[in-house]
Amino acid sequence: MYEKTLAEQSRMLANGECSSTELTKHYLDRIARLDTDLNSLVSVDADSALQGAEDADRKRKSSAPSNAEMPLLGVPMVHKDIFCVAGGRTTCGSRMLEHFNAPYSATVVNKLNDAGMVMLGKANMDEFAMGSSNENSYFGAVKNPWKRDCVPGGSSGGSAALVAARLAPVATGTDTGGSIRQPAAFCGLTGIKPTYGRVSRYGMIAFASSLDQAGPLATTAEDCAMVLQAMAGFDERDSTSSNEPVPNYMADLDKPINGLKIGVPEEYFSAGLDDGVATQVRAALAEFEKLGAKLKSISLPNQSMCIPAYYVVAPAEASSNLSRFDGVRFGYRCEDPVDLDDLYTRSRGEGFGAEVKRRILIGTYALSAGYYDAYYLQALKVRRLISDDFDAAFKEVDVIAGPTTPTPAFQTGAKTDDPIAMYLNDLYTVSANLCGLPAISMSCGEVDDLPVGLQLTGKHFDEARLLHAAHSYQQTTDWHRRMPAGIE
Ligand code: GLN
């Protein structure tokens, strides 16, 4: 059953060809067999998953909702361990929260519960969502199912690895600077980061609040559309959540994309881009042309400023958000502190990993008196210029296309000693977060047996168009259907 997409499983459940209990057992069995090697999940709660599946089966019998009403009823899924789930453990990949039990559930968790989805467990991730390789987790690195000595990407690397290995048909992720799209690209999946404010951040542990956004990772755009439909919408508990109505993401999926104007920024095909990736991405763009899209060369003049701006803004916000982990209110507390200072310094010193500390130091520095103007304020100004570039481009085109990442997945350990090399992975993804724009990554080829991702960035609240374009591409290509070897 694992070869089926979420949409296919949804139809099978609706037609009575399988039950949620069967499907859930199938995936729990796969997790038990395959995840000892991959390390993609940090917790699995088989009892509560089976209970959820039983409830879904009962509901299907008693009230027989149509598939249009409850398409996700009984479909198994996994949440990134950044989403609070009441009653369970929520670690955010950190020793700081190793034993943290959230008193309430995130809105995303409640919404997917209400849609009838069955949570199998929680996915491994980079600590506090900081990273591009999933090597920063307190619970150990995650392996890429395509090549076990390569990284799955980060920070939603557990989510990506487990969907690629078909341990669940879909997983949630979060994306602050690329953490849905980059792991989706590295693992051959489809992943969408919605417009800032489209999905509630309530109960999602904060990294950089002006950039964070949640979304699904699945094998197809159609599956992403189905799950995003249930995740999206206004939430009065998130003050930055948008009350823009949520359109029906499924409605136009099968229409032709004739006349879609795709902008191709020349800056995306310059230094730093792997030749193999460039070739695959160009081939995908040619496929879009065959489907009736029009390509137009455009320019995003401030592209080279994206990484510097992001790596000031994100750590600045992180340093502020993470100040709440003080050894008093949440999570880890050091043993036998001699006084309050000792409690703070040792709890934070022992509870956080190296990358998190690096970000807190950079962020605190950038926000400190005397440096604020030179770094943080400057980064905000650059952020505006980048945003203006996109606004100008979107006057001429509907979507902007390019590679999701400069290279395919790299070897585990290859960049751990060089933070700058690691940060350069995010070259093409951070701009969507800085500008609050939606962006989707889809698999569009392979280089040395590793998947390559194509990214489409859209106008604010234009998720439907991105999903539509990706779905059309997936009707005439089969990259999204490919599976890593050894996951049978
Ligand atoms: N790789 C980026 C970082 O390390 C993005 C992380 C994310 O999107 N959560 O900050």
Side-chain angles (χ1 to χ4, degrees):
M1 278 189 280
Y2 66 89
E3 303 96 334
K4 305 259 189 258
T5 66
L6 183 154
E8 288 161 354
Q9 292 178 5
S10 159
R11 283 191 286 274
M12 287 171 71
L13 286 164
N15 299 338
E17 289 166 52
C18 73
S19 68
S20 174
T21 303
E22 282 166 331
L23 203 51
T24 302
K25 281 190 177 152
H26 174 71
Y27 281 117
L28 287 170
D29 170 62
R30 292 183 59 75
I31 291 171
R33 252 182 332 106
L34 298 165
D35 203 44
T36 33
D37 185 38
L38 293 172
N39 197 28
S40 66
L41 286 117
V42 289
S43 47
V44 179
D45 192 341
D47 291 342
S48 93
L50 289 170
Q51 185 60 52
E54 230 174 77
D55 292 347
D57 287 333
R58 196 169 323 111
K59 178 153 190 156
R60 212 173 265 288
K61 282 210 186 87
S62 62
S63 55
S66 74
N67 209 29
E69 281 166 339
M70 292 199 81
L72 302 174
L73 180 59
V75 177
M77 59 83 56
V78 172
H79 278 297
K80 183 176 182 177
D81 205 17
I82 197 169
F83 292 98
C84 290
V85 176
R89 192 171 74 128
T90 300
T91 68
C92 219
S94 183
R95 181 182 191 194
M96 187 58 93
L97 294 177
E98 187 180 2
H99 305 292
F100 175 63
N101 281 312
Y104 59 85
S105 291
T107 296
V108 162
V109 171
N110 287 333
K111 277 178 170 274
L112 294 187
N113 266 345
D114 293 347
M117 294 202 91
V118 174
M119 185 183 90
L120 302 169
K122 309 284 293 285
N124 201 346
M125 57 180 283
D126 277 311
E127 183 175 9
F128 285 101
M130 297 172 190
S132 310
S133 66
N134 225 303
E135 293 165 291
N136 299 337
S137 169
Y138 177 61
F139 302 97
V142 177
K143 291 185 185 169
N144 188 320
W146 290 85
K147 274 193 190 170
R148 310 269 164 146
D149 58 347
C150 288
V151 303
S155 64
S156 312
S159 302
L162 77 90
V163 177
R166 307 306 195 261
L167 305 185
V170 64
T172 53
T174 61
D175 191 311
T176 303
S179 283
I180 290 175
R181 293 160 285 154
Q182 188 251 16
F186 279 12
C187 292
L189 303 176
T190 311
I192 181 164
K193 177 203 95 71
T195 307
Y196 183 74
R198 178 73 299 177
V199 174
S200 169
R201 292 182 296 111
Y202 179 77
M204 187 175 114
I205 295 170
F207 165 8
S209 305
S210 78
L211 305 164
D212 297 344
Q213 192 50 201
L217 294 100
T219 51
T220 68
E222 182 182 26
D223 292 356
C224 285
M226 290 172 72
V227 178
L228 182 60
Q229 194 77 53
M231 291 171 79
F234 175 69
D235 179 9
E236 61 183 13
R237 291 191 280 197
D238 171 1
S239 61
T240 61
S241 143
S242 166
N243 48 21
E244 181 86 16
V246 181
N248 181 343
Y249 294 129
M250 309 295 292
D252 292 338
L253 281 186
D254 291 318
K255 294 196 175 143
I257 57 161
N258 272 342
L260 179 77
K261 282 183 264 168
I262 302 183
V264 185
E266 53 199 56
E267 292 83 0
Y268 283 7
F269 291 86
S270 55
L273 178 61
D274 176 272
D275 288 343
V277 173
T279 307
Q280 298 297 312
V281 168
R282 292 215 186 270
L285 292 174
E287 186 63 35
F288 271 99
E289 263 186 314
K290 274 198 230 152
L291 288 165
K294 300 263 174 298
L295 302 185
K296 184 174 166 53
S297 176
I298 60 163
S299 174
L300 297 171
N302 292 292
Q303 162 64 17
S304 65
M305 301 306 290
C306 290
I307 290 284
Y310 173 83
Y311 277 97
V312 173
V313 172
E317 294 187 21
S319 71
S320 161
N321 272 326
L322 270 58
S323 65
R324 74 190 62 175
F325 301 105
D326 56 5
V328 178
R329 290 172 293 177
F330 309 89
Y332 182 79
R333 177 177 298 175
C334 67
E335 294 209 3
D336 305 324
V338 294
D339 57 18
L340 191 60
D341 260 356
D342 187 42
L343 170 80
Y344 287 154
T345 41
R346 278 205 293 125
S347 298
R348 286 168 70 79
E350 294 163 16
F352 289 137
E355 182 61 23
V356 174
K357 286 178 193 162
R358 181 180 296 125
R359 307 275 181 122
I360 292 173
L361 289 174
I362 296 172
T364 308
Y365 181 82
L367 288 175
S368 58
Y371 296 102
Y372 180 94
D373 288 0
Y375 295 103
Y376 184 67
L377 199 61
Q378 193 67 12
L380 290 188
K381 289 178 184 168
V382 171
R383 183 178 188 175
R384 168 47 61 100
L385 293 176
I386 295 165
S387 195
D388 289 348
D389 285 354
F390 277 87
D391 286 350
F394 281 131
K395 290 206 169 77
E396 298 180 50
V397 297
D398 303 315
V399 298
I400 293 173
T404 307
T405 58
T407 66
F410 47 89
Q411 294 228 314
T412 304
K415 301 189 184 194
T416 32
D417 295 332
D418 187 352
I420 304 288
M422 188 70 92
Y423 298 166
L424 283 172
N425 256 287
D426 308 331
L427 194 58
Y428 304 119
T429 48
V430 295
S431 50
N433 303 76
L434 289 168
C435 307
L437 298 166
I440 193 168
S441 178
M442 69 205 82
S443 198
C444 75
E446 279 173 19
V447 170
D448 297 334
D449 300 323
L450 283 166
V452 169
L454 172 79
Q455 174 174 245
L456 296 181
T457 305
K459 300 176 188 174
H460 289 117
F461 298 104
D462 217 5
E463 286 81 5
R465 198 190 301 265
L466 299 181
L467 292 160
H468 175 206
H471 178 75
S472 304
Y473 175 75
Q474 291 176 344
Q475 299 316 294
T476 57
T477 55
D478 71 349
W479 299 108
H480 60 287
R481 268 187 237 282
R482 305 213 175 180
M483 281 186 228
I487 57 150
E488 293 74 29

